[in-house]
Amino acid sequence: MTTTPARPAAGSYDPAATTSGGLAGELARLEAQAALSFDEELRVLRESGVDESCGPLVEIGAGSGAVTRRLRAALPGLPVTAVDIDGDLLAHAEGCGADLVVADGADLPLPDRFAGCVLLRYVLQHLADPLPVLTEALRVLRPGGRIVVTEVDASCWGLADPVFPELASVHAKLTQAQASAGGDRTIGRRLTRLLRSAGYAEVALRPFATTNDDRPTEDFAPHLGPGRLQPLVASGALTLAEFALAADRWNRFRKDPDAYVMLLGLTATGIAPR
Ligand SMILES: C[S@@+](CC[C@H](N)C(=O)[O-])C[C@H]1O[C@@H](n2cnc3c(N)ncnc32)[C@H](O)[C@@H]1O
């Protein structure tokens, strides 16, 4: 693992305070989140032209390597450099065959035109200003190389049936808490504009969906379950009653044989100008 002096991450991501289970809980959440939608994400990557011939892939904000490991298994001929500002988290990606670099995505210790592809998955939503990372990604991409950014937008996260309208204010508090910490859970709507203003060409939005027609309802727990809300109780952003409400509705939902969930991911792609 290569380490360069990196500032502490400024932004809304705190791995030890994202779920109820501390760091171990967050590692499990990242793993479950990747397992749930990786097949769809790989399809989008392939449709965007990412394959084993597209040169080194740099994954910025690779975290514990949940996606890095899956990428290496699916595309073993594609060299991967996994970068994260948090060396403790990145250490969990050890052994997957990727080069590991501890660095700020806005200041990469990589040469100009190094990469054929840059991947950013659920990273920009945590940054107060995503533009420096996108600009740095453009510097390390060779002309014609592509950026692939996957994000969410809290206003169109997907749908669940039955609907529990009483949870709307609870989810709004999650979005507000992330905003107060310098992040943005509504970044999905800004992705294409951000890529264009950073200088990318041929920018396109490629949404993908994961449903419980294809995966067990239980697998959606990282997104629909109450685990991510518990730290909000500890910080005072959510009451215990609101947390209990969310836990109760998730229990009802997962036990309902007719329940349907469609989770949307928003992937934006762009090309480094030739
Ligand atoms: C929600 S996690 C996502 C991890 C991984 N992409 C995944 O999907 O499993 C966000 C990651 O972005 C990293 N991160 C935040 N700010 C960063 C920065 N400025 N440079 C590099 N990584 C950063 C965090 O340390 C964390 O690992």
Side-chain angles (χ1 to χ4, degrees), residues 7-15 18 26 29-31 33-34 41 59-68 83-87 89-90 103-108 119-127 133 228:
R7 286 175 286 115
S12 64
Y13 185 71
D14 177 355
T18 300
E26 175 60 356
R29 188 190 71 87
L30 292 172
E31 198 57 35
Q33 194 185 55
E41 293 176 51
E59 186 186 1
I60 301 176
S64 58
V67 162
T68 326
V83 180
D84 204 282
I85 201 163
D86 184 333
L89 208 50
L90 191 62
D104 187 339
D107 186 14
L108 296 171
L119 174 65
L120 280 147
R121 180 182 186 268
Y122 303 142
V123 178
L124 297 187
Q125 64 172 278
H126 294 292
L127 305 180
V133 171
R228 291 204 71 182

Side-chain angles (χ1 to χ4, degrees), residues 67-181:
V67 162
T68 326
R69 262 190 302 282
R70 287 171 169 80
L71 267 179
R72 291 282 306 138
L75 301 169
L78 177 66
V80 175
T81 298
V83 180
D84 204 282
I85 201 163
D86 184 333
D88 293 338
L89 208 50
L90 191 62
H92 292 271
E94 205 82 62
C96 73
D99 290 332
L100 306 184
V101 177
V102 181
D104 187 339
D107 186 14
L108 296 171
L110 299 172
D112 293 357
R113 304 179 172 206
F114 168 81
C117 179
V118 169
L119 174 65
L120 280 147
R121 180 182 186 268
Y122 303 142
V123 178
L124 297 187
Q125 64 172 278
H126 294 292
L127 305 180
D129 183 4
L131 217 45
V133 171
L134 292 175
T135 309
E136 182 67 346
L138 188 55
R139 179 186 70 75
V140 302
L141 273 174
R142 62 170 182 248
R146 66 207 74 226
I147 188 163
V148 179
V149 182
T150 294
E151 276 302 342
V152 291
D153 192 296
S155 296
C156 60
W157 66 272
L159 69 86
D161 182 7
V163 183
F164 299 118
E166 61 274 32
L167 291 183
S169 63
V170 174
H171 293 141
K173 287 185 179 176
L174 180 62
T175 303
Q176 278 157 19
Q178 191 162 334
S180 318

